[in-house]
Amino acid sequence: MTRVMGQDLPLERPDATGRAALFVPTAAIKADVLETVRMGAAIVGYGNHDRTLTIYYESNRFNEANLVKWEQKARKAFERLAENLPTVSKLVSKPENFEQVGYISSKGILIRRMEKLQDWLQKSDAMDGAPESETVVFTPPPPPKKIVENL
């Protein structure tokens, strides 16, 4: 069995300016882990010093309209991870359950192994939300509106 982790697998939780790894399940994933993560989920995370992975995932369990595409799910999971927000959508796993396919940061996504991501989305019947290319650039949020006082 081969599993691929990037030589520069991010170690430790990234901050808002850092980057995390993108993962897909391996064929050897334990059934209970796959049931927890759910089919079609976007999975982001980082390596720990004890050789485990901390992953955050988003599967759009509640069918939110703004989480239809895979990259939208990945961004949501990354934001939770980077901001250390409370969530039940995270776990610590053995690395045998996941393989790294790319990177995500607040600026966008870089997919290094598109065929593996597409295999995961195909098995999940989620190809309609698949990214169109290996790079996805996130547009920054609009600047806050100025408050003008009426005197």
Side-chain angles (χ1 to χ4, degrees), residues 109-120:
I109 293 173
L110 175 62
I111 302 166
R112 299 268 184 176
R113 303 184 73 222
M114 181 63 96
E115 72 284 352
K116 291 290 186 177
L117 175 59
Q118 289 176 336
D119 286 349
W120 165 237

Side-chain angles (χ1 to χ4, degrees), residues 71-82:
E71 60 251 31
Q72 294 167 325
K73 296 176 196 174
R75 188 173 189 176
K76 176 88 169 187
F78 177 75
E79 287 170 356
R80 273 196 223 116
L81 180 149

